[in-house]
Amino acid sequence: MVGKRIQRAREAESLSLRALAEIVGVSQTTISKYEKEDSTPDSTMLLKLSKALNVKTNFFFQTNEFILENKEYRKRTISNIELRSIESKILNFVEKRFEVESLFPNLPFNKFKVPALKTKQISKLKDVPLIADELREAWELGIDPISDLSNVLESNGIKVFMIDESADNNFDGLAAIVNDYHIIVISKNWPGDRQRFTLAHELGHLILEGRLCSKMDDEKASDRFAAAFLLPEKSLKNQLTARRKSIEIAELALIKEEFGVSMQAVFIRANQAGIIDYLYSNSLWKLFKKEGWDKKEPGEQYPSEKIHIFKQLVLRAVSEEYIEESKAAELLDMTVKKFLKYRMTGK
Ligand SMILES: [Zn+2]
C-alpha cells in the first residue's frame, strides 16, 4: 500500500523517480523499490518523503483505493507525465471528499441518474438542443441563466472538482466515475465561461449516452448540448429577436455576462438557432480569429466557477465535532493557525 501512495504523491508533484531520489538523498533504485513494495521506507525516510511530497505521513498509510473509471478527457493534448500528475491530484481530492462525506451519518449524497426524457434517440446534430431543453425542464431550471452551474450539478449527484493546473498544459476537463459516483473535474486556470462550457459538455456526454445514432460525432453533439443547455434558444431569441442581419460585439458581451458563455458560443448558437445566417456567423468567426479574440475575448473575463461544497462539508464536520480543528486544517490544506482564523472570519 505504502508504495502506491508514494507513487501517487510523487506523480501529483510531477517529480520523476530521480528527482525525488535526489531530494531525499537516496538512489533512484531505492525509490523505485519503495514504489514496487520490494522494500519499505523506515520512519525517518517516510518523514523525508512526506516533506518532499507535501503530504502528511499518514497519507502513506491510507487504505481506501479509489480508481478513476470511464475517463473522458476534454481535448486531450497532454503528455503522459502531465496526465499522471493530474490524475494523482484528482485522486487526492476525491479521497478527501469521500473521507469527509463518510463522517456524516445521515447526509444524503445522491448518485447521478439520467432523468427520464421524452426524446430517446436523435440522428441529427441540430436536434441535440431538444435534449438540453428537456433536461432543463426535468431539473426545473426554466430558461434563465444558470448562475451556479457547479451547484446545479452537485445537487443532481455529480461531484465537481477543480484542480490547479497551469493553463499552458491544456487540461480543460475530465469526467469519470469513482466508486459509482460521477465526477467532473475542471481546471482553475481558465476563465469562467470556458469552465462552464466544459462542465456542460461533460454533462452532455452523460445525458446523450445511448441517444445518438451511431453515425453521430459525440464530441460535437456534447458541444452542441453544452451551448444549448447554457443558452436556450428561447432565451437567446428573447435577447436578440428571432432574426437579425447583424449583431454588435457589445451585444455578445452582454449576453456573455448574463449567461456565462463565451461570445463565440453566443454567435455560433445564434446561427444554429437560425437568428443569423452562416455567412454572417462565419464573418464574426474570422474577425475573432484576426483580433486574437478566439484565444482571449475582449472585455472583462467571466469570473471563475466557485466550488464551495468541500469547504462547507469540512466546516460542518468541525462545527458538529465530527473532526478536530487539526484534521479540518489538514483537509483544507491549511496550517492550524490559518484554519482558526478562517473558521472565525471566512478569510
Ligand atoms: Zn468530450
Side-chain angles (χ1 to χ4, degrees):
M1 201 65 227
V2 176
K4 274 204 186 124
R5 306 287 297 179
I6 294 173
Q7 185 181 1
R8 159 120 60 96
R10 175 176 65 75
E11 288 176 351
E13 293 290 308
S14 308
L15 290 174
S16 64
L17 285 168
R18 177 152 47 141
L20 178 59
E22 269 171 25
I23 298 172
V24 298
V26 294
S27 72
Q28 188 177 330
T29 324
T30 307
I31 300 288
S32 170
K33 277 186 178 164
Y34 292 157
E35 291 190 1
K36 287 189 197 130
E37 318 213 320
D38 290 339
S39 81
T40 313
D42 63 19
S43 56
T44 324
M45 181 48 69
L46 278 176
L47 209 59
K48 279 190 190 172
L49 288 166
S50 77
K51 281 204 182 112
L53 298 170
N54 282 319
V55 292
K56 293 252 158 51
T57 43
N58 63 11
F59 174 88
F60 298 126
F61 297 102
Q62 286 187 21
T63 48
N64 307 344
E65 199 43 45
F66 294 104
I67 300 166
L68 300 174
E69 293 170 293
N70 291 32
K71 285 178 279 188
E72 204 275 330
Y73 277 92
R74 180 146 162 72
K75 294 189 191 143
R76 206 191 122 175
T77 44
I78 336 172
S79 73
N80 276 334
I81 293 177
E82 282 166 347
L83 210 62
R84 277 204 294 276
S85 163
I86 287 166
E87 291 184 5
S88 301
K89 278 185 202 162
I90 293 171
L91 283 170
N92 290 346
F93 280 123
V94 164
E95 192 170 280
K96 283 184 177 182
R97 173 82 187 261
F98 278 104
E99 187 184 348
V100 175
E101 286 184 13
S102 71
L103 297 168
F104 295 89
N106 314 309
L107 215 54
F109 285 105
N110 304 329
K111 285 190 177 158
F112 168 74
K113 233 179 111 224
V114 181
L117 303 177
K118 250 194 305 189
T119 307
K120 306 277 180 246
Q121 200 80 44
I122 40 177
S123 54
K124 291 191 189 89
L125 271 180
K126 71 173 180 53
D127 294 334
V128 171
L130 283 177
I131 309 250
D133 289 344
E134 286 174 20
L135 183 67
R136 268 189 174 252
E137 205 181 319
W139 282 359
E140 298 174 353
L141 296 170
I143 61 162
D144 291 337
I146 300 171
S147 60
D148 189 349
L149 182 57
S150 309
N151 202 25
V152 167
L153 297 179
E154 286 277 353
S155 318
N156 287 289
I158 299 171
K159 298 182 197 301
V160 180
F161 297 88
M162 199 188 265
I163 62 166
D164 199 356
E165 275 302 303
S166 82
D168 51 54
N169 80 3
N170 278 320
F171 173 72
D172 233 318
L174 164 77
I177 297 177
V178 187
N179 272 19
D180 284 343
Y181 282 93
H182 284 82
I183 68 162
I184 301 181
V185 188
I186 50 174
S187 168
K188 197 174 179 172
N189 296 305
W190 294 112
D193 53 302
R194 183 153 168 180
Q195 294 171 330
R196 288 162 56 86
F197 200 87
T198 298
L199 288 171
H201 171 98
E202 298 299 353
L203 174 65
H205 279 298
L206 298 179
I207 302 293
L208 295 173
E209 201 187 333
R211 286 180 216 272
L212 303 177
C213 84
S214 60
K215 292 185 301 261
M216 286 176 75
D217 178 333
D218 62 340
E219 290 306 318
K220 278 192 186 148
S222 288
D223 279 345
R224 197 59 85 103
F225 174 92
F229 184 69
L230 293 168
L231 185 50
E233 185 171 323
K234 237 186 181 163
S235 314
L236 189 59
K237 285 186 169 160
N238 287 343
Q239 302 276 331
L240 293 172
T241 72
R243 185 78 197 142
R244 293 281 297 267
K245 279 206 291 277
S246 66
I247 305 174
E248 297 299 308
I249 298 294
E251 289 184 276
L252 297 175
L254 290 173
I255 296 174
K256 172 178 180 172
E257 195 182 320
E258 204 172 330
F259 283 84
V261 291
S262 68
M263 293 158 82
Q264 294 163 89
V266 176
F267 70 72
I268 291 172
R269 184 92 187 90
N271 170 237
Q272 289 164 358
I275 299 170
I276 52 172
D277 63 24
Y278 177 75
L279 273 180
Y280 185 68
S281 162
N282 201 37
S283 73
L284 282 174
W285 190 77
K286 280 183 186 149
L287 173 72
F288 269 64
K289 218 165 155 61
K290 185 176 137 246
E291 299 290 339
W293 295 344
D294 56 331
K295 304 246 158 37
K296 189 169 187 248
E297 297 200 331
E300 292 272 308
Q301 297 295 301
Y302 192 84
S304 173
E305 278 292 292
K306 291 195 171 57
I307 298 176
H308 289 150
I309 184 146
F310 181 68
K311 277 186 180 160
Q312 284 171 335
L313 289 172
V314 173
L315 288 166
R316 207 188 303 171
V318 80
S319 186
E320 302 280 311
E321 298 180 338
Y322 293 138
I323 52 172
E324 307 267 330
E325 288 166 329
S326 57
K327 181 67 190 174
E330 183 194 324
L331 287 164
L332 294 177
D333 215 3
M334 292 178 182
T335 60
V336 175
K337 197 175 154 202
K338 194 169 170 210
F339 175 72
L340 292 178
K341 181 169 172 253
Y342 174 63
R343 186 181 183 183
M344 303 304 292
T345 63
K347 278 187 197 159

